[in-house]
Amino acid sequence: MHEWALSDSIAAAAKDVAKKENLKKVDAITVVLGELQDIAGNIFAEIFEDVKKNYAGVANAKLIIESEAAKFRCLNCGNIFGLNRKGLPHETNEAMHFLPETAKLYIKCEKCGSTDFKIIQGRGVFIKEIKGDK
Amino acid sequence: MRLKLNLDPKISVIKKRLDGVKRIIAVSGFKGGVGKSSTACVLALLLAQNGKKAGLMDLDFNGTSDEIILGLKKEFPQEIEGLEPPLISGVKFMTAAFFARNKAVNLRGEEITNAILELFAVTRWQNLDFLILDMPPGFSDAALDIIRFIPRAEVIIVSTPSALSQNIIAKAKAALKNFNIKITGSIKNMSPEGINFDGKLEAAYGRPAKLLKTRFAADLKKEIERLSLY
């Protein structure tokens, strides 16, 4: 599962943060899942329960998942628009799932039709907050 | 304590994903049209033919061409705790072309870096003797980021006898030295001092078995021996 590698990266990054900040243990990690990458939160959380055991100091961390809608800003006309999956073939959704930047190959600005836009939010997976004990 | 972050977790696993790879060789051209991609592909094929476990990653996102050189058909990475690259003529192969599906890739600097990080974070190379990186052009943002994220990568520089190529190579060597990057060697393409011009190479694109029988491959094999890669 592709989600396994991303979930594993959350545990690895939390361990790195704990080391840098001298945390004895990580109690909670708030992760944001962007709409564009379309990661299934329940599967992601389930995998995390397994992978976190491999990382010292993270093994008892609680995972809090938030989701974020995708937003794009057109670099041609300035229009800000969201993701509309209607009519997108399975292969396109699959490509964006593995490599969110490929959205630029398949999606156009709703106003001017340009494919030159910036993903301003809701791209993929990132850590928003870590709670731990010194 | 609560730490407010905006942290991309992928950077933390790149080293781990490459743990089973003995040597990482970045094939760089620093100038278009010098034969960087042909060299990277045939180098990976020759290493595999010689019994080495070889991988190839096309990082020239805005101009991927390794899929054409290797003759990619319907192969696609398998989802097993990440993405397992398909085996093409003995070489584990990863490219953005799997996801771009013949469309022009119009990514800007930061987007290319994000996409490269994503691929490194999820690709499971397992054990390899060599991972060959077909690098983005020159010292673009993407190239500099790869140098930053994979400091143990060593560089093979591909050039041609052209004064334009040689001029930029001299500058690139000095810059790589500043970054403390190991230069494994230089290969002069289209030159009697390295790989002779091979007018039949183009016709062999897409057919790895035929590529390995070209004069280009025979000359590159001598270069591999000169650089002690076998």
Side-chain angles (χ1 to χ4, degrees):
Chain A
M1 271 236 164
H2 168 241
E3 279 82 354
W4 187 95
L6 295 174
S7 199
D8 183 54
S9 74
I10 295 292
K15 189 188 168 190
D16 286 351
V17 171
K19 190 180 172 190
K20 192 181 162 198
E21 300 290 337
N22 293 317
L23 300 179
K24 280 182 198 149
K25 63 183 179 74
V26 175
D27 297 322
I29 307 165
T30 304
V31 167
V32 176
L33 301 181
E35 181 190 11
L36 189 55
Q37 194 158 31
D38 195 22
I39 299 287
N42 56 340
I43 295 173
F44 193 81
E46 202 175 302
I47 295 168
F48 183 77
E49 287 306 306
D50 195 30
V51 296
K52 70 179 184 182
K53 294 170 193 159
N54 301 323
Y55 294 90
V58 185
N60 293 314
K62 185 184 168 194
L63 188 70
I64 301 159
I65 293 178
E66 293 180 3
S67 53
E68 186 178 65
K71 270 192 185 169
F72 314 109
R73 187 175 65 244
C74 178
L75 296 173
N76 184 47
C77 73
N79 180 37
I80 291 177
F81 58 104
L83 176 65
N84 180 4
R85 289 192 193 271
K86 199 179 169 189
L88 288 180
H90 168 72
E91 291 77 15
T92 299
N93 284 311
E94 188 183 52
M96 296 191 301
H97 174 62
F98 290 125
L99 218 49
E101 280 68 28
T102 56
K104 294 188 69 172
L105 316 186
Y106 303 108
I107 292 172
K108 290 178 180 174
C109 169
E110 291 168 346
K111 201 172 165 188
C112 73
S114 172
T115 57
D116 193 12
F117 57 82
K118 191 175 168 65
I119 303 166
I120 51 176
Q121 69 169 57
R123 177 202 174 272
V125 181
F126 72 91
I127 297 177
K128 185 180 169 186
E129 187 182 280
I130 284 182
K131 198 178 153 197
D133 293 336
K134 280 254 184 193
Chain B
M1 70 181 293
R2 285 175 187 273
L3 297 166
K4 297 280 179 199
L5 305 159
N6 184 4
L7 180 69
D8 185 340
K10 296 187 289 291
I11 297 162
S12 291
V13 285
I14 291 179
K15 189 175 170 288
K16 182 183 168 191
R17 296 283 179 268
L18 297 169
D19 267 355
V21 180
K22 287 182 189 160
R23 288 179 76 176
I24 301 171
I25 295 184
V27 178
S28 288
F30 301 101
K31 193 85 185 148
V34 296
K36 168 182 68 77
S37 293
S38 297
T39 303
C41 288
V42 178
L43 172 60
L45 288 169
L46 283 167
L47 289 167
Q49 189 189 45
N50 196 250
K52 305 290 183 194
K53 286 181 183 166
L56 172 68
M57 195 170 190
D58 193 343
L59 297 174
D60 194 352
F61 268 41
N62 281 352
T64 63
S65 53
D66 294 359
E67 77 278 11
I68 308 289
I69 298 171
L70 293 180
L72 194 74
K73 293 183 179 74
K74 288 187 174 172
E75 298 90 344
F76 197 76
Q78 258 193 301
E79 267 194 271
I80 308 168
E81 295 190 350
L83 291 179
E84 185 119 359
L87 205 60
I88 314 286
S89 297
V91 174
K92 283 188 179 180
F93 179 50
M94 181 54 89
T95 171
F98 287 128
F99 316 106
R101 298 174 200 277
N102 277 331
K103 283 185 173 275
V105 178
N106 59 335
L107 302 187
R108 290 168 180 261
E110 189 190 354
E111 294 160 346
I112 296 176
T113 294
N114 278 337
I116 286 174
L117 276 176
E118 190 79 37
L119 273 196
F120 271 115
V122 300
T123 304
R124 294 177 66 84
W125 294 104
Q126 313 284 14
N127 295 324
L128 290 180
D129 294 308
F130 290 93
L131 174 60
I132 308 300
L133 306 178
D134 185 355
M135 289 290 280
F139 288 110
S140 58
D141 291 1
L144 292 174
D145 284 331
I146 292 163
I147 288 169
R148 185 157 61 95
F149 296 131
I150 312 170
R152 73 178 172 104
E154 43 190 299
V155 174
I156 286 182
I157 298 170
V158 181
S159 66
T160 67
S162 155
L164 302 179
S165 174
Q166 290 306 310
N167 175 268
I168 202 153
I169 292 304
K171 288 187 254 184
K173 278 184 177 172
L176 287 169
K177 208 174 167 186
N178 276 340
F179 289 125
N180 283 325
I181 298 292
K182 182 185 172 189
I183 301 174
T184 297
S186 301
I187 293 176
K188 211 179 261 187
N189 191 18
M190 301 179 226
S191 162
E193 293 167 26
I195 302 173
N196 285 281
F197 175 76
D198 183 353
K200 292 177 180 169
L201 181 65
E202 183 90 15
Y205 284 156
R207 284 173 286 179
K210 202 170 176 186
L211 271 172
L212 285 168
K213 288 178 186 160
T214 57
R215 185 178 181 189
F216 181 92
D219 287 347
L220 181 55
K221 202 171 177 179
K222 286 178 200 158
E223 293 296 290
I224 292 172
E225 282 158 7
R226 177 177 66 82
L227 300 174
S228 307
L229 293 181
Y230 279 155

